[in-house]
Structure formats: structure tokens, C-alpha cells
Amino acid sequence: MLATLKSEESSGQLQLVEREDIEDDEDLFEAIDKLIAQGINAGDVKKLQDAGIYTCNGLMMHTKKNLTGIKGLSEAKVDKICEAAEKIVNFGYITGSDALLKRKSVIRITTGSQALDELLGGGIETLAITEAFGEFRSGKTQLAHTLCVSTQLPTNMRGGNGKVAYIDTEGTFRPDRIVPIAERFGMDPGAVLDNIIYARAYTYEHQYNLLLGLAAKMSEEPFRLLIVDSVIALFRVDFSGRGELAERQQRLAQMLSRLIKIAEEFNVAVYMTNQVIADPGGGVFVTDPKKPAGGHVLAHAATVRLMFRKGKGEQRICKVFDAPNLPEAEAVFQITPGGIADAKD
């Protein structure tokens, strides 16, 4: 079992579903081992796995130039591998009706606040990147901690029924904070913490390598959420000044591309936090001269952008800044000992 709910609450339907019980799960990605049946050498498949490619879907997300960079794979081999993968995975056109059916596999994970869920159309979506930006103390990391727990709830309780990966660049993850949140949702804190894998990144390269290493874990176990808190911090440290800005944005784009590929390859939700920068050129009439860091590269990569700001007391306000399917609106929520919850007037 993924998580054990407390005995007094553990009536049958609250138990998390075993991996075997989920039939649709198999359709999400094709394991890279299937290439062997298409006549690809097992040694070459092993080389792909060593490079962090564990599914045929993931393989098709790499350029041939990338693949020939893997030690021991020649151009001829790469061509043969790609041909075999194309037979297994359809990467061509599909109809709008098929696309709509595909969207049915999207899982929406509750944030813990009814108002915030309604604003987001049901919760944080899988197959997408949700970015939250705002000043310090605006509730971004608190939402991350709440999602660590709510993702492990069964789907009938608006959870994701899966594990969580947490990449921390600012040192703000607190496992002891997870305990009261788990208790609020009636789950066993020990089991909840066991289902979270955590890594502290110190450089942008380290951060990228941690993302590459995730494919191995996600292809074996059912993950539903990847948190990167925060996505930009290390890039702001490791690159300085205008002279390095172009390279910084290029590296940032590569990392964001990796994030969206993880989201689509394994049907996980990606929640990343972002910092803000002062915008002195914002003009006299701009009441709040702060904008999200990362520029256009980050703006285009995020599927849903949320702006967090402080309200009165423990209240916080979340505004949909940009989303393909949500209207621009606001919701008020509150930070409580049990995580994110609806605001009390």
C-alpha cells in the first residue's frame, strides 16, 4: 500500500489503490524494454537507460543529435532505435476527439482549500507545469508542503494516489511540517513521509542532473507530483550580470523543457515556485513594481501561472496570472497548522 490511513478512518474505500489495480496506468508510457522485441540489442537499451531514458515516449522527446552523444551509440544505431520506437509509440497527428480522450487521464490534485481548487478548475493538474510566484512569505512553499500530502490521497478524495518527488534549492523543506498536515487529512505521517523522495540541489547543474535521475524512479513507481522549490534560485546565483544572461536563459530553457517532458511522459503534476524581481522601469502608475523572475523563457514554459500575495493576518491571495483554460480570477486562502485551507472571515 502507498499510504496507510489511520485505523479509525480506514473504511475500505479510503485505502489507496494498489498499482496493479490501475488498468489505465499501463497506457501512459511504453517501457524502453519493448525495443528488444523490435530487434534492438539489449546492450543498446541498457545504454539508453544509463542516460536516463526509460520509456519509448521519453526516447522520442530527444533529438537524434542528443542520442548520438550517448557513449556507444552510432548514428546508424540511433536511426534504427528511433524507427523501432516509432512503431511502438504513435507520435503523429491525432484527431481532436482523441486529444479530448487523452485529457481524461489528467488528474487534479486538491490544494486543501476549496476556494483555491475552484479557481484552478479542480486542483493542480497533471501533464502540466504550475508555477507560483510571489514575494517571500506569500505561501508558495506552504502550498508545496500541503501538496506533498494531498497527492497521496486516493483519487476519490481528490488526491493523486501517488508518490512525490521534491527538489529543494533554497533549503526550505521541513519534514516536521508534513506531520500535522498528514494528520489533518487523516493519514499516517510516517507512511506519508516514506512516499516523498527529497533532494537538496546546490548548483543549477546538480538541479538538472537530479531531474535526469528521476526517470528511473518514475518508470518503476507511481509518482504523481514533482515539486521544484524554487526553480530560479540557483540560476540567479550561478550566473551573474548581463554578460551571462543569454547563457542563463538557454540553460533555464533546457531545464524547463526537461520538466514539461517529465510531466507528459509520466503523467505527473509539476509544481514549481518562482521568485520576484523589482521592476524599477515599471512606470509611475504601476502600483506593484514586482514581476516574476526568469523572463519570457519561464513565462512561456509554465502552463498555469499563479501570483501569490499576502492578505491580512494568515490570509493569502492567489490570482491566475496566465492559464490556457482558466479565467483571470482571485481566491483567498489561509495558512493553518494543517497546511493550506479555506480562509475564515
Side-chain angles (χ1 to χ4, degrees):
M1 284 295 175
L2 269 180
T4 335
L5 294 160
K6 288 202 174 156
S7 49
E8 66 266 19
E9 303 230 11
S10 59
S11 55
Q13 80 273 19
L14 289 192
Q15 294 297 328
L16 287 188
V17 193
E18 280 279 10
R19 177 84 191 225
E20 284 71 42
D21 300 349
I22 309 168
E23 290 147 25
D24 309 340
D25 213 45
E26 295 311 308
D27 305 334
L28 291 174
F29 56 81
E30 303 288 351
I32 200 86
D33 304 345
K34 293 192 178 175
L35 288 175
I36 298 172
Q38 297 285 334
I40 302 297
N41 182 346
D44 292 342
V45 171
K46 177 79 172 73
K47 283 170 193 161
L48 290 171
Q49 289 177 328
D50 291 343
I53 302 169
Y54 281 79
T55 69
C56 294
N57 310 51
L59 175 71
M60 301 300 282
M61 292 174 183
H62 286 267
T63 60
K64 286 188 177 176
K65 184 183 168 192
N66 261 354
L67 295 171
T68 46
I70 297 171
K71 202 175 170 191
L73 292 186
S74 63
E75 278 188 37
K77 268 184 184 174
V78 166
D79 287 343
K80 195 179 167 197
I81 287 169
C82 289
E83 269 175 41
E86 278 166 17
K87 287 177 191 165
I88 299 170
V89 186
N90 169 28
F91 259 72
Y93 291 101
I94 56 171
T95 65
S97 308
D98 290 342
L100 186 63
L101 271 176
K102 219 173 171 184
R103 291 287 299 165
K104 289 219 175 357
S105 67
V106 171
I107 295 168
R108 289 179 177 83
I109 299 163
T110 178
T111 58
S113 157
Q114 186 82 37
L116 194 49
D117 284 349
E118 282 169 14
L119 179 75
L120 296 173
I124 302 284
E125 279 190 1
T126 61
L127 295 178
I129 294 182
T130 305
E131 174 209 344
F133 70 88
E135 283 186 287
F136 60 94
R137 215 170 67 81
S138 57
K140 306 183 297 292
T141 301
Q142 293 303 319
L143 177 55
H145 281 69
T146 308
L147 288 170
C148 277
V149 179
S150 65
T151 302
Q152 299 181 39
L153 286 168
T155 39
N156 61 359
M157 289 176 70
R158 306 203 349 270
N161 194 44
K163 297 190 169 195
V164 180
Y166 197 118
I167 295 174
D168 183 5
T169 66
E170 297 179 341
T172 47
F173 177 68
R174 294 289 177 271
D176 39 279
R177 185 79 188 84
I178 298 290
V179 176
I181 302 174
E183 286 169 349
R184 167 199 164 185
F185 284 103
M187 296 171 83
D188 172 32
V192 167
L193 284 166
D194 284 342
N195 287 324
I196 300 170
I197 59 168
Y198 167 82
R200 171 82 166 95
Y202 292 97
T203 67
Y204 79 92
E205 287 169 338
H206 184 197
Q207 189 176 343
Y208 188 74
N209 290 337
L210 285 168
L211 287 178
L212 289 179
L214 267 181
K217 294 185 173 8
M218 288 190 170
S219 61
E220 286 164 11
E221 296 177 274
F223 278 83
R224 276 295 161 267
L225 177 69
L226 164 60
I227 293 170
V228 185
D229 183 19
S230 82
V231 72
I232 194 83
L234 299 175
F235 287 88
R236 292 177 88 173
V237 173
D238 296 339
F239 297 93
S240 54
R242 287 269 166 106
E244 293 184 353
L245 188 61
E247 195 196 345
R248 182 190 94 164
Q249 293 302 84
Q250 179 65 50
R251 299 278 181 220
L252 181 60
Q254 286 168 352
M255 200 186 62
L256 293 166
S257 158
R258 187 76 224 132
L259 283 175
I260 194 67
K261 284 170 183 172
I262 287 173
E264 294 191 9
E265 190 179 341
F266 298 109
N267 191 19
V268 297
V270 175
Y271 171 74
M272 62 184 190
T273 68
N274 188 10
Q275 301 170 338
V276 289
I277 51 175
D279 184 14
V284 188
F285 304 108
V286 180
T287 47
D288 191 18
K290 286 183 291 293
K291 59 182 190 180
H296 293 289
V297 165
L298 199 61
H300 291 299
T303 323
V304 180
R305 304 193 91 187
L306 305 174
M307 183 168 88
F308 282 28
R309 64 179 197 272
K310 300 181 189 82
K312 56 177 193 283
E314 289 298 306
Q315 290 189 0
R316 302 288 183 268
I317 298 133
C318 169
K319 180 184 182 194
V320 174
F321 196 72
D322 167 41
N325 57 346
L326 301 172
E328 275 197 20
E330 289 188 352
V332 182
F333 63 92
Q334 190 158 339
I335 297 170
T336 69
I340 300 286
D342 279 327
K344 296 180 183 67
D345 294 328

